Amino acid sequence: MRRNRWILAALLLLLAVALLDRGWQAGWLPGFGGNDKADSGGNAPSLSVLAAEGAPKPGTAAPAFALPGLDGKTYEVGGKREKALLLNFWASWCDPCKEEAPELVALADRYKDSLDIYAVNVTLYDKLDEAKAFVKNYGYTFPVLLDEKEDAYRKFNGVAFPTNVLVDEQGVIQDVIVGVIPPEELEAKIKKMLES
């Protein structure tokens, strides 16, 4: 029962963030950014980033962690890397995670030479068998990490699933995306990171 309340609270928070983010981007919230680029120089952080108060911000080093993968290997994050990285925090019961899963598979294939994708299952809030079924169902070909104690998710002050974090080759966070965004927006953010 307690788990259901947390799930409901997380879903409500995700809905609120999504609505506010759309309002921000569409200019529904005058005086708070929106399309008013004259005030912000066009570089206002997304509401998703602001919603994750206390989380590592773009321009800061990604917190270091090491987690086991479903393949038995240990994967590390933190510091310089050979390729840029998309960290995807998810759970198998999360409908928005299901929505973006096919796009993650497509991105992994399209950018395999320049981008690593680590799908971090926050196993503390999931069931391992259901996570494995999710990975098989959606055909994940990239590493699936198991955050069994929520250690990595806490380091990023996770507030909702999915949460995507873009980390460049220097180990610096370039973007934090809470919730699902249109596939073309996510790809544009990846391209921008890879080109910089």
Side-chain angles (χ1 to χ4, degrees), residues 81-86 114-116 167-169 193-194:
R81 314 181 40 78
E82 289 183 27
K83 298 180 188 177
L85 174 67
L86 172 99
S114 55
L115 179 72
D116 285 330
V167 181
D168 68 17
E169 292 176 358
M193 174 178 67
L194 295 176

Side-chain angles (χ1 to χ4, degrees), residues 101-132:
E103 183 59 23
L104 292 177
V105 172
L107 288 169
D109 185 50
R110 218 170 7 252
Y111 294 97
K112 62 185 170 215
D113 295 331
S114 55
L115 179 72
D116 285 330
I117 296 179
Y118 290 172
V120 182
N121 177 259
V122 186
T123 319
L124 182 67
Y125 300 115
D126 208 344
K127 294 180 179 165
L128 184 56
D129 290 343
E130 291 176 14
K132 287 179 180 178

Side-chain angles (χ1 to χ4, degrees), residues 5-18:
R5 278 190 267 170
W6 282 108
I7 292 170
L8 180 59
L11 289 174
L12 288 173
L13 179 62
L14 178 61
L15 177 62
V17 167

Side-chain angles (χ1 to χ4, degrees), residues 58-76:
T60 64
F65 67 85
L67 291 173
L70 280 178
D71 59 5
K73 297 179 184 175
T74 298
Y75 293 87
E76 295 182 12

